[in-house]
Amino acid sequence: MSVPPISPSSSPPSDDDNPMNGILAAMKTPQASRVLGKRPTPNNEDFDELEDDSAPGGTSGNPLTTNPFTTPTGPNPNDLIAVKNFAARKKLKTEQLAEVEVFLQDPPHVRDTKTFALLHSVFNKVEEIVVATPAFEVSDDLRKNINSYSVAMLLSSHIASYKGAPATDSLLKLLLRLPLGIPAGITANAADYNRLQSAVSDALTQTRATFKKHLAIRRKGGPEPDIFTLARTFIKNTKCELSVPLCCRIALMRMVFKKHAANDFWDKLDAQYAVIVQVAKGSATALVRAFEFIYESDKKQHIGDGSGVGPRPDASISGIQQQVDDLMLAAQLDVMTTAAAATSAAQQAAESSSPDVFTSQAA
């Protein structure tokens, strides 16, 4: 059955009579343009599309009260599934997962406030953990290390003092530079630092007493041991190795011990060493020559039974002794640098405070 043609004079049939006419008309008629944020008026005039902030699911309201992760009917299903999967991987508890779901629906300003409150809660927990941490105690392993390094320090070529606070401070600074399990920042905790300081002082006292016993050794009916045999007695059961610098230091101890074997031995040793350093006047060569003289004199005076074997002339210092020497030298350089900087600053301050000679003369 064919469709009868429509004459121009006759009125077109309604859409009810022939649906195809309505479809064809809709296809030929241009659709009104639609711009995001705009909507046409009956007069084809655009105006800003404003949504009611109070309408559920509105997206153009106050950004502080609008949650992009929610819909008018609740949380976005995809976001909720992703959050649940993430929480399962992190092994959150059931009540924690419920709090996360609520957090997902909260407005941004509520989420920020909750996050800030949780940070305070974490800080409180950390403080409880710190308070509950047991007080620092010197363990047996640490005490063994302290004893070992006390021997190496008292036999070092860079030691400045054998007794008193200077010796204790030197060993403390040395230990704090080593990875021995000492808590970081222990110097800020007076109680813990006093425990470490007491252990260091006890170790030095014990080591000095042992050294004095070695110096007093004298074979019955025989001569005193030669410097090499005596030095091996000093380093027995320690990590130190025989070397010429080590023998030089022990030779100085024996030289002073012969005249001052009483309780003031270590004080006299510090005084004798101070004299040597003063005479050297900062010259490393002069200091080496002084110890070489002491070392050679000891070898001539104490031959022993001839069984002592010295180190090779080309033998270098190694092991714990080299480590201690390097650290003590670095500490001395730090002290010298600090002192030089302080002196320079004092000189600059004095120069800046003194009146200008030329200015005063011109006035």
Side-chain angles (χ1 to χ4, degrees), residues 149 152-153 156 174 320-329:
Y149 281 101
M153 193 198 76
S156 173
L174 187 150
I320 187 175
Q321 193 64 64
Q322 183 64 53
Q323 183 185 29
V324 169
D325 288 351
D326 291 343
L327 290 174
M328 293 188 68
L329 180 60

Side-chain angles (χ1 to χ4, degrees), residues 11 110 113 145 195 211 236 257 319:
S11 61
V110 176
T113 306
N145 285 322
R195 293 188 187 95
F211 282 4
K236 185 179 180 180
F257 186 78

